[in-house]
């Protein structure tokens, strides 16, 4: 039995029955990291050796009856913009390449209390700015389904590590699709929770009004379990919302009878690959067969969400990244004549091209004379986006769209064309603008054998509806049983 083929809920069951040990689980994943990491390159910082030692201690505690949770000894991977005390948090950047966090993010504190074990920090686009993980200052991550293709981004390392069975599950962050899009490309499940449901304390900010930490998992059940662990109010995060605690696994009934599903026609128009359209339409028809009520409707926010998103995101990035000045922490240039030159040289040398591009754009839209024309207008459009979604959710329980317009593409084909890269977010950004939850689940593969994802969007704090809908389809199509990454193009 290959332990890395099992989901986390299956591993927990075997741990409870004492059929396996934490050490066996961690060693199985460490072996996979050794076998595949030279090809996949999902990690920035591996903690596999430390994890094995920690698993041995946890097994001893279990034997002694000191069981603080059923998750004791379960390993996990962490995106490298989430702080772990005493461990490098680089954001896959030169600017923070040697930064060791002095504190834990709130989600990490929760994991440590439960006894979860970190296998390491996972690669990403620099400061989470990108859609392919090609903009990492460390190295490019490769998609396990075809190593010549991108894993998506910015949480590409997290999605690739789960798909390659280097970790059983992982945390990512989603600003405009950065959990859902790589989940789609890598054939795994990616959940972006409602804004404010999961604490952002300890997440290095890209765009503070859009960022959200969320799970990347092998199946929907694991996604619901991991959301249970990380959701909750946090006084250290002023945007955290105090809502009633839920057990999201209770929503996984397998039934969608009577569920009202809206299908926005704008998300199936020009720019969406025909094969993606067809496979997602097939999945929608499966819902109809299972007793859901399907209705096509118009959600024309797609026409202006992308521009709105990039104005707001870049403006907030410009503000948030102003702290990296070569003085307090982070990269400092060696050659400078005065304070101004220190600032300029440190930021010029420390930031990559994509980060600079977004800082410049963000500074421009916030500058005097352009603020009203761009940033203020984008915030007004944001209200319209929220209003249009509110109207849609007065009629429908969930909304279905493709996750990405295309399947994973060959490395290098879009990295020199920023506009084409930005257009890849067309299906996902409106969810972040409105602060809604969204999940991507794999529904089929293309003729080349690359995964295709379906996005399910829910109303605010109604994760149970989209998880229930996702679980029902997952059980019907059995993607994991029928399709596996092939590591094509590897050694």
């Amino acid at each position: 039995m290959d332990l890395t083929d099992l989901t986390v809920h299956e591993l927990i069951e075997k741990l409870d029955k004492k059929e396996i040990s934490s050490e066996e689980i961690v060693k199985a994943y460490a072996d996979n990291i050794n076998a595949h990491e030279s090809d996949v390159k999902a990690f920035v910082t591996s903690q596999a050796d430390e994890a094995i030692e920690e698993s041995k201690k946890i097994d001893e505690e279990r034997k002694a009856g000191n069981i603080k949770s059923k998750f004791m000894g379960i390993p996990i991977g962490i995106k490298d913009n989430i702080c772990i005390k005493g461990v490098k948090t680089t954001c896959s950047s030169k600017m923070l390449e040697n930064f060791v966090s002095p504190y834990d993010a709130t989600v990490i504190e929760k994991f440590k209390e439960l006894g979860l074990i970190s296998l390491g920090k996972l690669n990403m686009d620099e400061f989470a700015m990108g859609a392919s993980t090609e903009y990492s200052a460390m190295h490019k991550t490769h998609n396990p389904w075809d190593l010549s293709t991108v894993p998506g981004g910015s949480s590409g390392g997290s999605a690739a590590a789960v798909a390659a069975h280097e970790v059983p599950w992982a945390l990512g962050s989603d600003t405009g699709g950065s959990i859902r899009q790589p989940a789609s490309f890598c054939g795994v499940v990616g959940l972006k929770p409602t804004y404010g449901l999961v604490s952002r304390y300890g997440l290095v900010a890209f765009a503070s009004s859009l960022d959200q930490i969320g799970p990347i998992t092998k199946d929907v059940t694991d996604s619901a379990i991991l959301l249970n662990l990380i959701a909750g109010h946090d006084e250290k995060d002023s945007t955290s919302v105090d809502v009633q605690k839920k057990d999201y696994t209770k929503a996984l009934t397998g039934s969608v009878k009577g569920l009202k599903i809206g299908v926005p026609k704008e998300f199936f128009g020009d720019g969406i690959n025909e094969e993606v359209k067809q496979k997602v339409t097939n999945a929608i028809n499966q819902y109809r067969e299972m007793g859901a009520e399907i209705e096509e409707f118009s959600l024309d926010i797609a026409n202006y969400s992308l521009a709105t998103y990039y104005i707001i995101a870049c403006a907030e990035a410009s503000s948030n990244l102003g702290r990296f000045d070569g003085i307090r922490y982070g990269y400092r240039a060696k050659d400078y004549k005065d304070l101004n030159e220190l600032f300029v040289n440190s930021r010029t040398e420390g930031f990559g091209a994509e980060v600079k591009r977004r800082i410049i754009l963000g500074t421009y839209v916030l500058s005097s004379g352009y603020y009203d024309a761009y940033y203020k207008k984008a915030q007004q459009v944001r209200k319209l986006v929220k209003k249009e979604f509110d109207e849609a959710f007065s009629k429908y329980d969930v909304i279905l769209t493709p996750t990405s317009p295309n399947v994973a593409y060959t490395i290098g084909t879009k990295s020199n064309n920023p506009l084409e890269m930005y257009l890849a977010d067309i299906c996902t950004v409106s969810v972040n603008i409105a602060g809604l939850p969204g999940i991507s689940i794999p529904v089929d593969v293309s003729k080349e054998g690359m995964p295709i994802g379906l996005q399910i969007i829910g109303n605010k704090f109604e994760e149970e509806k989209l998880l229930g809908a996702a679980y029902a389809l997952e059980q019907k199509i059995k993607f994991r049983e029928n399709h596996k990454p092939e590591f094509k193009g590897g050694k």
Side-chain angles (χ1 to χ4, degrees), residues 259-278:
L259 188 76
K260 294 179 180 177
I261 297 176
V263 179
K265 59 186 179 183
E266 288 83 1
F267 286 76
F268 291 81
D270 293 340
I272 308 295
N273 176 277
E274 287 300 322
E275 197 173 9
V276 170
K277 271 190 225 177
Q278 186 57 56

Side-chain angles (χ1 to χ4, degrees), residues 85-99:
K85 186 176 181 179
V87 179
K88 280 186 180 182
T89 299
T90 74
C91 293
S92 295
S93 68
K94 184 176 181 180
M95 181 62 78
L96 291 177
E97 64 182 342
N98 294 311
F99 174 69

Side-chain angles (χ1 to χ4, degrees), residues 152-199:
S154 64
S155 306
S158 296
V162 174
H165 292 186
E166 294 186 338
V167 298
W169 54 5
L171 283 187
S173 68
D174 193 309
T175 308
S178 290
I179 286 174
R180 290 159 288 151
Q181 185 252 24
S184 176
F185 279 11
C186 292
V188 293
V189 175
L191 171 64
K192 181 260 168 197
T194 303
Y195 184 78
L197 182 62
V198 178
S199 172

Side-chain angles (χ1 to χ4, degrees), residues 33 195 217 235 250 262 285 318 325 338 344 401 417 461 476:
I33 292 170
Y195 184 78
T217 59
E235 292 181 354
K250 289 182 178 177
N285 290 334
S318 171
D325 54 14
D338 52 34
V344 172
T401 75
N417 188 337
F461 301 108
K476 176 84 171 174

Side-chain angles (χ1 to χ4, degrees), residues 86-159:
V87 179
K88 280 186 180 182
T89 299
T90 74
C91 293
S92 295
S93 68
K94 184 176 181 180
M95 181 62 78
L96 291 177
E97 64 182 342
N98 294 311
F99 174 69
V100 176
S101 175
Y103 69 100
D104 284 322
T106 295
V107 290
I108 301 301
E109 285 180 354
K110 290 184 176 187
F111 289 165
K112 287 183 176 180
E113 287 169 9
L114 294 166
L116 274 81
I117 302 171
S118 172
L119 278 168
K121 307 298 287 295
L122 296 161
N123 198 25
M124 55 187 279
D125 286 297
E126 182 185 354
F127 286 104
M129 299 181 192
S132 65
T133 317
E134 292 174 282
Y135 296 137
S136 168
M138 305 304 175
H139 48 253
K140 293 178 175 65
T141 296
H142 300 252
N143 192 322
W145 291 77
D146 181 343
L147 295 164
S148 69
T149 64
V150 301
S154 64
S155 306
S158 296

